Amino acid sequence: MNNSRILVTGGAGFIGSALIRHYATCTEVQIANLDALTYAGNVESLASVVEAPRYRFYHADICDAAALEQIFTEFQPDAVMHLAAESHVDRSIDGPASFIQTNIVGTYTLLEACRAYWQGLPAERKSAFRFHHISTDEVYGDLEGTDDLFTEETAYAPSSPYSASKASSDHLVRAWQRTYGLPVLITNCSNNYGPYHFPEKLIPHVILNALHGKPIPVYGDGSQIRDWLYVEDHARALCRVLEAGKIGETYNIGGHNEKRNIEVVEAICALLEELAPEKPSGVAQYRDLITFVKDRPGHDARYAIDASKIQRELGWQPTETFESGIRKTVSWYLNNPEWWQRVLSGDYKLGRLGETASAQQTSGENS
Ligand code: NAD
């Protein structure tokens, strides 16, 4: 594992950057990051690794077959970890086209580039090669009962354009294994949270709105239940699956931290009372900013993951509880205003560090 070469797609995003930071810190692997740098891509999240000789960056779109061929030929990966995606449910409702393009067409284009490259590898490298597809628990749809859990056998029933596009990509990946023998692994993970999370997502949105004295919007009555996983626990799980997962298998990844959205928001407000007691003017308590807004169409009531397979077969389990992870997260946002201020102002798009010379294709579709 330590000598291997891993191509990460979407490595400038929230989870991809955590994965690359983990590989750069804890292993000796060579890492290539292939990312189109859409609004969600932020190379400043990789500032700690960008100068490392084992890291390189390809500014490219997974829908661009010619760029992919060039990158595979040049980098010669032993594994692909595919995280590039359009990932925000609200955006998928407002404009599904880029979700279909990147999540479905992009995954198809990447699979084909990968297949052509893999078929040309010498026998030993061919059998060791892996394509690891990173997906979501949202493909399983909604859980009605409060005791039910998503297992790897749960039938797919996606509700939003986002989850439908991710479900499609999972099906493509499985078909490329069954039909062409491409050695694939699939992981389906619950909601992630932690440092470097783009401020449009629930947890950073709540933290930053509270710090600015702005209303904290909560969909419906806030009763939707999600399982929350600290992003660094997810990064460790992905490494473990790549290292030891069985070809063709799916592994659910979860944090054993089911919370109602309103509980999450209240936990953040309580932590801010403790860690940032000097509030914006006019704000008596952070929780006074909570504002219930019209629910999102098709909003799933509950997601909950049975992550026993990955624990039993690969020995992975989360290290953070929700209480420890959310404390770390709130503290990180309080201690790193320069990161999120540049995201809020849009300046993060100006500093695009560490690009390699080749394959500088960008996506007209997604940028
Ligand atoms: P993100 O939106 O933060 O990052 C996505 C990255 O992909 C960005 O860097 C973006 O620039 C890049 N990208 C988008 N379109 C591209 C294209 N056409 N070509 C190349 N790069 C492109 O997403 P994230 O939250 O880090 O999620 C990563 C993956 O994990 C996604 O596949 C998502 O479906 C999955 N996932 C996310 C969560 C979560 O809670 N965030 C949970 C489970 C699974």
Side-chain angles (χ1 to χ4, degrees), residues 95-164:
S98 60
F99 288 72
I100 304 305
Q101 182 65 16
T102 285
N103 299 359
I104 305 178
V105 179
T107 299
Y108 155 74
T109 311
L110 181 66
L111 281 166
E112 278 298 78
C114 196
R115 181 166 75 94
Y117 164 78
W118 169 75
Q119 280 174 333
L121 287 176
E124 203 177 322
R125 287 193 66 203
K126 195 173 172 191
S127 64
F129 186 85
R130 297 289 182 271
F131 181 95
H132 181 169
H133 179 59
I134 284 78
S135 192
T136 166
D137 63 351
E138 299 195 28
V139 298
Y140 299 123
D142 213 359
L143 280 172
E144 284 177 8
T146 49
D147 296 332
D148 299 342
L149 296 171
F150 297 132
T151 74
E152 287 79 0
E153 275 72 48
T154 302
Y156 278 28
S159 306
S160 69
Y162 163 66
S163 52

Coordinates of all heavy atoms in Angstrom, one line a residue, residues 95-164:
G95 N -31.6 22.9 -10.0 CA -31.0 22.7 -11.4 C -30.3 21.3 -11.5 O -29.2 21.1 -11.2
P96 N -31.1 20.3 -11.9 CA -30.6 18.9 -11.9 C -29.6 18.6 -13.0 O -28.8 17.6 -12.9 CB -31.8 18.0 -12.1 CG -33.0 18.9 -12.2 CD -32.6 20.4 -12.2
A97 N -29.5 19.5 -14.0 CA -28.7 19.1 -15.2 C -27.2 18.8 -14.9 O -26.7 17.8 -15.3 CB -28.7 20.3 -16.2
S98 N -26.6 19.6 -14.0 CA -25.2 19.4 -13.7 C -25.0 18.1 -12.9 O -23.9 17.5 -12.9 CB -24.5 20.6 -13.0 OG -25.2 20.8 -11.8
F99 N -26.0 17.7 -12.2 CA -26.0 16.4 -11.4 C -26.0 15.2 -12.4 O -25.3 14.3 -12.2 CB -27.1 16.4 -10.4 CG -26.9 17.3 -9.3 CD1 -27.1 18.7 -9.5 CD2 -26.5 16.9 -8.0 CE1 -26.8 19.6 -8.4 CE2 -26.3 17.8 -7.0 CZ -26.5 19.1 -7.2
I100 N -26.8 15.3 -13.4 CA -26.9 14.3 -14.4 C -25.6 14.2 -15.1 O -25.0 13.1 -15.3 CB -28.1 14.5 -15.4 CG1 -29.4 14.7 -14.6 CG2 -28.1 13.4 -16.4 CD1 -29.8 13.6 -13.7
Q101 N -25.1 15.4 -15.5 CA -23.8 15.4 -16.3 C -22.6 14.9 -15.5 O -22.0 13.9 -15.9 CB -23.6 16.9 -16.7 CG -22.3 17.1 -17.5 CD -22.4 16.4 -18.9 OE1 -23.5 16.0 -19.3 NE2 -21.3 16.3 -19.5
T102 N -22.4 15.4 -14.3 CA -21.2 15.0 -13.6 C -21.4 13.6 -12.9 O -20.6 12.7 -13.1 CB -20.8 16.0 -12.5 OG1 -20.2 17.1 -13.1 CG2 -19.9 15.4 -11.4
N103 N -22.5 13.4 -12.2 CA -22.6 12.2 -11.4 C -22.9 10.9 -12.3 O -22.5 9.9 -11.9 CB -23.7 12.4 -10.4 CG -23.4 13.5 -9.4 OD1 -22.4 14.2 -9.5 ND2 -24.3 13.8 -8.5
I104 N -23.6 11.1 -13.4 CA -23.9 10.0 -14.2 C -22.9 9.9 -15.4 O -22.2 9.0 -15.6 CB -25.4 10.0 -14.7 CG1 -26.3 10.0 -13.5 CG2 -25.6 8.7 -15.5 CD1 -27.8 10.1 -13.8
V105 N -23.0 11.0 -16.3 CA -22.1 11.0 -17.5 C -20.7 11.0 -17.1 O -19.8 10.3 -17.7 CB -22.5 12.2 -18.4 CG1 -21.6 12.1 -19.7 CG2 -23.9 12.1 -18.8
G106 N -20.3 11.7 -16.1 CA -18.9 11.8 -15.6 C -18.5 10.5 -15.1 O -17.3 10.0 -15.4
T107 N -19.3 9.8 -14.3 CA -18.9 8.5 -13.8 C -18.7 7.5 -14.9 O -17.8 6.7 -14.9 CB -19.9 8.0 -12.7 OG1 -19.9 8.9 -11.6 CG2 -19.6 6.6 -12.2
Y108 N -19.6 7.5 -15.9 CA -19.5 6.7 -17.0 C -18.2 6.9 -17.8 O -17.5 6.0 -18.1 CB -20.7 6.9 -18.0 CG -20.4 6.5 -19.4 CD1 -20.3 5.2 -19.8 CD2 -20.2 7.5 -20.3 CE1 -20.0 4.9 -21.1 CE2 -19.9 7.2 -21.6 CZ -19.8 5.9 -22.0 OH -19.5 5.5 -23.3
T109 N -17.9 8.2 -18.0 CA -16.7 8.6 -18.7 C -15.4 8.1 -18.0 O -14.5 7.6 -18.6 CB -16.6 10.1 -19.0 OG1 -17.9 10.5 -19.5 CG2 -15.6 10.5 -19.9
L110 N -15.5 8.3 -16.7 CA -14.3 7.8 -15.8 C -14.2 6.3 -15.9 O -13.1 5.8 -16.0 CB -14.6 8.3 -14.4 CG -13.5 8.0 -13.4 CD1 -12.1 8.7 -13.7 CD2 -13.9 8.4 -12.0
L111 N -15.3 5.6 -15.8 CA -15.3 4.1 -15.8 C -14.7 3.7 -17.1 O -13.9 2.7 -17.2 CB -16.7 3.6 -15.7 CG -17.3 3.5 -14.3 CD1 -18.8 3.3 -14.3 CD2 -16.6 2.5 -13.4
E112 N -15.1 4.3 -18.2 CA -14.5 3.9 -19.5 C -13.0 4.2 -19.7 O -12.3 3.3 -20.1 CB -15.3 4.6 -20.7 CG -16.6 3.9 -21.0 CD -16.4 2.4 -21.5 OE1 -16.2 1.6 -20.6 OE2 -16.5 2.2 -22.7
A113 N -12.6 5.3 -19.2 CA -11.2 5.7 -19.2 C -10.4 4.7 -18.3 O -9.3 4.2 -18.7 CB -11.0 7.1 -18.7
C114 N -11.0 4.3 -17.2 CA -10.4 3.4 -16.2 C -10.3 2.0 -16.8 O -9.3 1.4 -16.7 CB -11.2 3.5 -15.0 SG -10.4 2.8 -13.6
R115 N -11.3 1.6 -17.5 CA -11.4 0.3 -18.1 C -10.3 0.1 -19.1 O -9.6 -0.9 -19.2 CB -12.8 0.0 -18.6 CG -12.9 -1.4 -19.2 CD -14.4 -1.7 -19.5 NE -14.9 -1.0 -20.6 CZ -15.0 -1.5 -21.9 NH1 -14.5 -2.7 -22.1 NH2 -15.6 -0.8 -22.8
A116 N -10.2 1.1 -20.0 CA -9.2 1.1 -21.1 C -7.8 1.0 -20.5 O -6.9 0.2 -20.9 CB -9.3 2.3 -22.0
Y117 N -7.5 1.8 -19.5 CA -6.2 1.8 -18.8 C -6.0 0.5 -18.1 O -4.9 -0.1 -18.3 CB -6.2 3.0 -17.8 CG -5.1 2.9 -16.8 CD1 -3.8 3.3 -17.1 CD2 -5.3 2.4 -15.5 CE1 -2.8 3.2 -16.2 CE2 -4.3 2.4 -14.6 CZ -3.0 2.8 -14.9 OH -2.0 2.7 -14.0
W118 N -7.0 0.0 -17.4 CA -6.8 -1.3 -16.6 C -6.6 -2.5 -17.5 O -5.7 -3.3 -17.2 CB -8.1 -1.4 -15.7 CG -8.2 -2.7 -15.1 CD1 -7.6 -3.2 -14.0 CD2 -9.2 -3.8 -15.5 NE1 -8.0 -4.4 -13.7 CE2 -9.0 -4.8 -14.5 CE3 -10.1 -3.9 -16.5 CZ2 -9.7 -6.0 -14.6 CZ3 -10.8 -5.1 -16.6 CH2 -10.6 -6.1 -15.7
Q119 N -7.3 -2.5 -18.6 CA -7.1 -3.6 -19.5 C -5.7 -3.7 -20.1 O -5.2 -4.8 -20.5 CB -8.1 -3.6 -20.7 CG -9.5 -4.1 -20.2 CD -10.6 -3.9 -21.2 OE1 -10.5 -3.0 -22.0 NE2 -11.6 -4.7 -21.1
G120 N -5.0 -2.6 -20.1 CA -3.6 -2.6 -20.7 C -2.6 -2.8 -19.7 O -1.4 -2.8 -20.0
L121 N -2.9 -3.0 -18.4 CA -1.9 -3.2 -17.4 C -1.3 -4.6 -17.4 O -2.0 -5.5 -17.8 CB -2.5 -3.0 -16.0 CG -2.9 -1.5 -15.6 CD1 -3.6 -1.5 -14.2 CD2 -1.7 -0.6 -15.5
P122 N -0.1 -4.8 -17.0 CA 0.5 -6.1 -16.9 C -0.3 -6.9 -15.8 O -0.9 -6.3 -14.9 CB 1.9 -5.9 -16.4 CG 2.1 -4.4 -16.1 CD 0.9 -3.7 -16.7
A123 N -0.3 -8.2 -15.9 CA -1.2 -9.1 -15.1 C -1.2 -8.8 -13.6 O -2.2 -8.6 -13.0 CB -0.9 -10.6 -15.3
E124 N 0.0 -8.6 -13.0 CA 0.1 -8.4 -11.6 C -0.6 -7.1 -11.2 O -1.3 -7.0 -10.2 CB 1.6 -8.4 -11.2 CG 1.7 -8.8 -9.7 CD 3.2 -8.9 -9.3 OE1 4.0 -9.4 -10.2 OE2 3.6 -8.4 -8.2
R125 N -0.2 -6.0 -11.9 CA -0.8 -4.7 -11.6 C -2.3 -4.7 -11.9 O -3.1 -4.1 -11.2 CB -0.1 -3.6 -12.4 CG 1.3 -3.3 -11.9 CD 1.8 -2.0 -12.5 NE 1.0 -0.9 -12.0 CZ 0.9 0.3 -12.7 NH1 1.6 0.4 -13.8 NH2 0.2 1.3 -12.2
K126 N -2.7 -5.5 -12.9 CA -4.1 -5.5 -13.3 C -5.0 -6.2 -12.1 O -6.0 -5.7 -11.8 CB -4.3 -6.4 -14.6 CG -5.6 -6.2 -15.2 CD -5.6 -6.9 -16.6 CE -7.0 -6.9 -17.1 NZ -7.2 -7.7 -18.2
S127 N -4.4 -7.2 -11.6 CA -5.2 -7.9 -10.5 C -5.2 -7.1 -9.2 O -6.1 -7.2 -8.4 CB -4.8 -9.3 -10.3 OG -3.5 -9.3 -9.8
A128 N -4.2 -6.3 -9.0 CA -4.1 -5.5 -7.8 C -4.9 -4.2 -7.9 O -5.2 -3.5 -6.9 CB -2.7 -5.1 -7.4
F129 N -5.3 -3.8 -9.1 CA -6.0 -2.5 -9.3 C -7.3 -2.5 -8.7 O -8.0 -3.5 -8.6 CB -6.1 -2.2 -10.9 CG -6.6 -0.9 -11.2 CD1 -5.8 0.2 -11.3 CD2 -8.0 -0.7 -11.4 CE1 -6.3 1.5 -11.6 CE2 -8.5 0.5 -11.7 CZ -7.7 1.6 -11.8
R130 N -7.7 -1.3 -8.2 CA -9.1 -1.1 -7.6 C -9.7 0.2 -8.1 O -9.0 1.3 -8.2 CB -9.1 -1.0 -6.1 CG -8.6 -2.3 -5.4 CD -9.6 -3.5 -5.6 NE -9.1 -4.6 -4.9 CZ -8.3 -5.6 -5.4 NH1 -8.0 -5.5 -6.7 NH2 -8.0 -6.6 -4.7
F131 N -11.0 0.2 -8.4 CA -11.8 1.4 -8.6 C -12.8 1.5 -7.4 O -13.7 0.7 -7.3 CB -12.6 1.3 -9.9 CG -13.4 2.5 -10.3 CD1 -12.9 3.5 -11.1 CD2 -14.7 2.7 -9.7 CE1 -13.6 4.6 -11.4 CE2 -15.4 3.8 -10.0 CZ -14.9 4.8 -10.9
H132 N -12.6 2.5 -6.6 CA -13.4 2.7 -5.4 C -14.4 3.8 -5.6 O -13.9 5.0 -5.7 CB -12.5 2.9 -4.2 CG -13.2 3.1 -2.9 ND1 -12.5 3.1 -1.7 CD2 -14.5 3.2 -2.6 CE1 -13.4 3.2 -0.7 NE2 -14.6 3.3 -1.2
H133 N -15.6 3.5 -5.6 CA -16.7 4.5 -5.9 C -17.3 4.9 -4.5 O -17.7 4.1 -3.7 CB -17.8 3.9 -6.7 CG -18.9 4.8 -7.0 ND1 -18.7 6.0 -7.7 CD2 -20.2 4.7 -6.8 CE1 -19.9 6.6 -7.8 NE2 -20.8 5.8 -7.3
I134 N -17.3 6.3 -4.3 CA -17.7 6.8 -3.0 C -19.1 7.3 -3.2 O -19.4 8.3 -3.9 CB -16.8 7.9 -2.5 CG1 -15.5 7.3 -1.9 CG2 -17.4 8.7 -1.3 CD1 -14.5 6.8 -2.9
S135 N -20.1 6.7 -2.5 CA -21.5 7.1 -2.6 C -22.1 7.4 -1.3 O -21.4 7.5 -0.3 CB -22.2 6.0 -3.4 OG -23.5 6.5 -3.8
T136 N -23.4 7.5 -1.3 CA -24.2 8.1 -0.2 C -25.3 7.1 0.3 O -25.8 6.3 -0.5 CB -24.8 9.4 -0.6 OG1 -25.7 9.8 0.4 CG2 -25.5 9.3 -1.9
D137 N -25.7 7.3 1.5 CA -26.8 6.5 2.0 C -28.1 7.0 1.5 O -29.2 6.4 1.6 CB -26.9 6.5 3.6 CG -27.1 7.9 4.2 OD1 -27.0 8.9 3.5 OD2 -27.3 7.9 5.4
E138 N -28.1 8.2 0.8 CA -29.3 8.8 0.3 C -29.9 7.9 -0.9 O -31.1 8.1 -1.2 CB -29.1 10.2 -0.1 CG -28.7 11.1 1.0 CD -28.8 12.6 0.8 OE1 -29.7 13.0 0.0 OE2 -28.1 13.3 1.4
V139 N -29.1 7.0 -1.5 CA -29.6 6.2 -2.5 C -30.7 5.2 -2.0 O -31.5 4.8 -2.8 CB -28.5 5.3 -3.2 CG1 -27.4 6.2 -3.8 CG2 -27.8 4.3 -2.2
Y140 N -30.7 5.0 -0.7 CA -31.7 4.1 -0.1 C -33.0 4.7 0.1 O -34.0 4.0 0.5 CB -31.2 3.5 1.2 CG -29.9 2.7 1.1 CD1 -28.8 3.0 1.8 CD2 -29.8 1.6 0.2 CE1 -27.6 2.3 1.7 CE2 -28.6 0.9 0.1 CZ -27.5 1.2 0.9 OH -26.3 0.5 0.8
G141 N -33.1 6.1 0.0 CA -34.4 6.8 0.2 C -34.7 7.0 1.7 O -33.8 7.3 2.4
D142 N -35.9 6.8 2.0 CA -36.4 7.2 3.3 C -36.6 6.0 4.2 O -37.0 4.9 3.7 CB -37.8 7.8 3.0 CG -38.1 8.9 4.0 OD1 -37.3 9.2 4.9 OD2 -39.2 9.5 3.8
L143 N -36.5 6.1 5.5 CA -36.8 5.1 6.5 C -38.1 5.5 7.2 O -38.1 6.6 7.8 CB -35.7 4.9 7.5 CG -34.5 4.0 7.0 CD1 -33.4 4.1 8.1 CD2 -34.9 2.6 6.7
E144 N -39.0 4.6 7.2 CA -40.3 4.9 7.9 C -40.2 4.6 9.4 O -40.4 5.5 10.3 CB -41.5 4.2 7.3 CG -41.8 4.9 6.0 CD -42.9 4.3 5.2 OE1 -43.5 3.3 5.8 OE2 -43.2 4.7 4.1
G145 N -39.9 3.4 9.8 CA -39.9 3.0 11.2 C -38.7 3.6 11.9 O -37.7 3.9 11.3
T146 N -38.8 3.8 13.2 CA -37.7 4.4 13.9 C -36.6 3.4 14.2 O -35.5 3.8 14.6 CB -38.2 5.1 15.2 OG1 -38.9 4.1 15.9 CG2 -38.9 6.3 15.0
D147 N -36.9 2.1 14.0 CA -35.8 1.1 14.3 C -35.1 0.6 13.1 O -34.1 -0.1 13.2 CB -36.4 -0.1 15.1 CG -37.0 0.3 16.4 OD1 -36.5 1.3 17.0 OD2 -38.0 -0.3 16.9
D148 N -35.7 0.9 11.9 CA -35.1 0.3 10.7 C -33.7 1.0 10.5 O -33.4 2.1 10.8 CB -35.9 0.6 9.5 CG -37.3 0.0 9.6 OD1 -37.5 -0.9 10.5 OD2 -38.2 0.5 8.9
L149 N -32.8 0.2 9.8 CA -31.5 0.7 9.4 C -31.3 0.3 7.9 O -31.8 -0.7 7.4 CB -30.4 0.1 10.2 CG -30.4 0.3 11.7 CD1 -29.4 -0.6 12.4 CD2 -30.1 1.8 12.0
F150 N -30.5 1.2 7.2 CA -30.1 0.8 5.8 C -29.0 -0.2 6.0 O -28.0 0.0 6.6 CB -29.5 2.0 5.1 CG -30.5 3.1 4.9 CD1 -30.1 4.4 5.1 CD2 -31.7 2.9 4.3 CE1 -30.9 5.5 4.9 CE2 -32.6 4.0 4.0 CZ -32.1 5.3 4.3
T151 N -29.2 -1.4 5.3 CA -28.1 -2.3 5.2 C -27.6 -2.3 3.7 O -28.2 -1.7 2.9 CB -28.5 -3.8 5.5 OG1 -29.3 -4.3 4.4 CG2 -29.3 -3.8 6.8
E152 N -26.6 -3.1 3.5 CA -26.1 -3.2 2.1 C -27.1 -3.8 1.2 O -26.9 -3.7 -0.1 CB -24.7 -3.9 2.1 CG -23.5 -3.2 2.6 CD -23.5 -3.2 4.2 OE1 -24.3 -3.8 4.8 OE2 -22.5 -2.6 4.7
E153 N -28.1 -4.5 1.7 CA -29.1 -5.2 0.9 C -30.3 -4.3 0.7 O -31.2 -4.7 0.0 CB -29.5 -6.5 1.5 CG -28.6 -7.7 1.2 CD -27.3 -7.6 1.9 OE1 -27.3 -7.3 3.1 OE2 -26.2 -7.7 1.3
T154 N -30.4 -3.2 1.4 CA -31.6 -2.4 1.2 C -31.8 -2.0 -0.2 O -30.8 -1.6 -0.9 CB -31.5 -1.1 2.1 OG1 -31.3 -1.5 3.5 CG2 -32.7 -0.2 2.0
A155 N -33.1 -2.1 -0.7 CA -33.3 -1.7 -2.1 C -33.2 -0.2 -2.3 O -33.5 0.6 -1.4 CB -34.8 -2.1 -2.5
Y156 N -32.7 0.2 -3.5 CA -32.5 1.6 -3.8 C -33.9 2.3 -4.0 O -34.7 1.7 -4.7 CB -31.7 1.8 -5.1 CG -30.2 1.7 -4.8 CD1 -29.6 1.0 -3.8 CD2 -29.3 2.4 -5.6 CE1 -28.3 0.9 -3.6 CE2 -27.9 2.3 -5.4 CZ -27.4 1.6 -4.4 OH -26.1 1.5 -4.2
A157 N -34.1 3.5 -3.4 CA -35.3 4.2 -3.6 C -35.0 5.7 -3.5 O -35.5 6.4 -2.6 CB -36.4 3.8 -2.6
P158 N -34.1 6.3 -4.4 CA -33.7 7.7 -4.2 C -34.9 8.6 -4.3 O -35.8 8.4 -5.1 CB -32.7 7.8 -5.2 CG -33.0 6.8 -6.3 CD -33.6 5.7 -5.6
S159 N -34.8 9.8 -3.6 CA -35.9 10.7 -3.6 C -35.6 12.0 -4.4 O -36.5 12.6 -4.9 CB -36.2 11.2 -2.2 OG -36.5 10.0 -1.4
S160 N -34.3 12.4 -4.3 CA -34.0 13.8 -4.9 C -33.2 13.5 -6.2 O -32.6 12.5 -6.5 CB -33.1 14.6 -4.0 OG -31.8 14.0 -3.9
P161 N -33.1 14.6 -7.1 CA -32.2 14.4 -8.3 C -30.8 14.1 -7.9 O -30.2 13.3 -8.6 CB -32.3 15.8 -8.9 CG -33.7 16.3 -8.5 CD -33.9 15.8 -7.1
Y162 N -30.3 14.6 -6.7 CA -29.0 14.3 -6.3 C -28.9 12.8 -6.0 O -28.0 12.1 -6.6 CB -28.6 15.0 -5.0 CG -27.4 14.4 -4.3 CD1 -26.2 14.4 -4.8 CD2 -27.6 13.9 -3.0 CE1 -25.1 13.9 -4.1 CE2 -26.5 13.3 -2.3 CZ -25.3 13.3 -2.9 OH -24.2 12.7 -2.2
S163 N -29.8 12.2 -5.2 CA -29.6 10.8 -4.8 C -29.9 9.9 -6.0 O -29.3 8.8 -6.1 CB -30.5 10.5 -3.6 OG -31.9 10.9 -3.8
A164 N -30.8 10.3 -6.9 CA -31.1 9.5 -8.0 C -29.9 9.4 -8.9 O -29.5 8.4 -9.5 CB -32.3 10.1 -8.8

